[in-house]
Amino acid sequence: MKLKLTLASVAVALASTASSQDNILDVRENYNVGQTVTVSGVVTSDDNLGSVRYIQDASAGIAIYPGVDWSAWYGDPAIGDSILVTGELTEYNGLLEVGPTLDAVELLGTGMVPAPLEITPSQLGENLEGQLVRINGVTFPLAG
């Protein structure tokens, strides 16, 4: 009887560990393309990039790609939505993302959009991929 309780406890602990990660940075650094991951964060982008949305938590950011659109889920995630996503970790043109194979998308509520991290152009790098950043003093003279 004691063995059954111990095995059951181990199974529950392993299932809990396998189904969620600590944060987005954990996923970015410790999981491989093809693995199923669960991440949560606040949506920081809208439909300007098509169906791709970016989410960010206190540790990092990542792209979420549902495939063609969000019709299989609760609707188009909006900036400020706090969501929980489970899906396959993939890479598209060098961009790490969750999707297009998504197993679950859950709206957790409305979160607070993180303030952009102020950086210089020399600080841009893959370590900031998916995060809101601001570069002050930049002008685009040919922008319409």
Side-chain angles (χ1 to χ4, degrees), residues 66-141:
V68 176
D69 61 33
W70 291 93
S71 61
W73 308 105
Y74 72 90
D76 285 350
I79 292 174
D81 284 353
S82 180
I83 62 173
L84 177 72
V85 178
T86 299
E88 183 180 356
L89 193 62
T90 59
E91 194 172 67
Y92 179 75
N93 288 333
L95 173 69
L96 192 64
E97 63 186 19
V98 180
T101 303
L102 298 180
D103 299 321
V105 177
E106 183 181 346
L107 175 63
L108 301 175
T110 301
M112 188 165 178
V113 177
L117 179 63
E118 290 190 17
I119 63 169
T120 64
S122 65
Q123 293 173 304
L124 277 174
E126 193 168 349
N127 63 314
L128 297 175
E129 181 180 86
Q131 286 187 255
L132 287 175
V133 298
R134 176 189 320 260
I135 301 174
N136 291 323
V138 176
T139 58
F140 296 94

